[in-house]
Amino acid sequence: MLKSLLIILMSSVLVNNYVLTKFLGICPFLGVSKKLDQAAGMGAAVTFVMVVSTAVTWPIQTYVLDKYNLGYLQTIVFILVIAALVQFVEIVLKRYVPALHKSLGVYLPLITTNCAVLGVAINNIKDGYGFAESLVSALGCGLGFLLAMVLFAGVRSRLDSKNTPKCFQGLPITLVAASIVAMSFMGFGGVVDKLFA
């Protein structure tokens, strides 16, 4: 059991990274990755929301939606749960970490519409994970999101200090750099299998 949970965790962080391999959550990835502290704060907030939303949505799906044949309401219910959790995170950050709340600005409410958060909750159900496996998967996906944000913040800080050709300045070089970072994560494909073989 522990071995399978470790495989799920490592796969979620490296091999099936939601930002770099599934291309979910690109908006905050491109928008908040300019500064390391903002990227880390956003990654931590998204990780928290992913884990808590999975902890709430999995029982709702299993004990309410599936039990009463209401599976067609899954997306609506999950979005409502995620929106409520994001409001909770925003209230907590505003009260206890106002500097981070101010620096995240408009991107904090965007967690509500972050398709990576919804994707994790839905894919955990679709993949047939139990409650513990879903939580580990959500934690891994969140940590993978955090890792991608922090790595890309480092890449973007280097890009800003380089002499980029005029036609590549701004979004074009950002997208090129993001694609190179995403390709580098493809190298982790066989690592998890070899580690836990």
Side-chain angles (χ1 to χ4, degrees), residues 85-106:
L85 290 171
V86 169
Q87 288 302 311
F88 172 73
V89 169
E90 187 171 11
I91 289 167
V92 168
L93 285 180
K94 191 173 186 178
R95 173 125 170 100
Y96 297 108
V97 194
L100 180 59
H101 180 266
K102 186 176 180 181
S103 70
L104 290 176
V106 71

Side-chain angles (χ1 to χ4, degrees), residues 53-106:
S53 67
T54 297
V56 174
T57 56
W58 190 91
I60 289 173
Q61 178 73 38
T62 304
Y63 299 117
V64 177
L65 299 180
D66 288 346
K67 185 175 181 181
Y68 297 107
N69 294 321
L70 298 171
Y72 60 90
L73 294 174
Q74 180 189 57
T75 304
I76 295 169
V77 170
F78 285 15
I79 288 173
L80 290 174
V81 168
I82 291 166
L85 290 171
V86 169
Q87 288 302 311
F88 172 73
V89 169
E90 187 171 11
I91 289 167
V92 168
L93 285 180
K94 191 173 186 178
R95 173 125 170 100
Y96 297 108
V97 194
L100 180 59
H101 180 266
K102 186 176 180 181
S103 70
L104 290 176
V106 71

Side-chain angles (χ1 to χ4, degrees), residues 5 19 26 33 40 50-51 62 65 70 81 113 115 122 130-131 143 160 162 175:
L5 292 178
V19 177
I26 295 294
S33 59
M50 280 183 179
V51 173
T62 304
L65 299 180
L70 298 171
V81 168
T113 59
C115 55
I122 290 175
F131 185 69
L143 292 175
D160 291 342
K162 300 300 177 196
L175 293 174

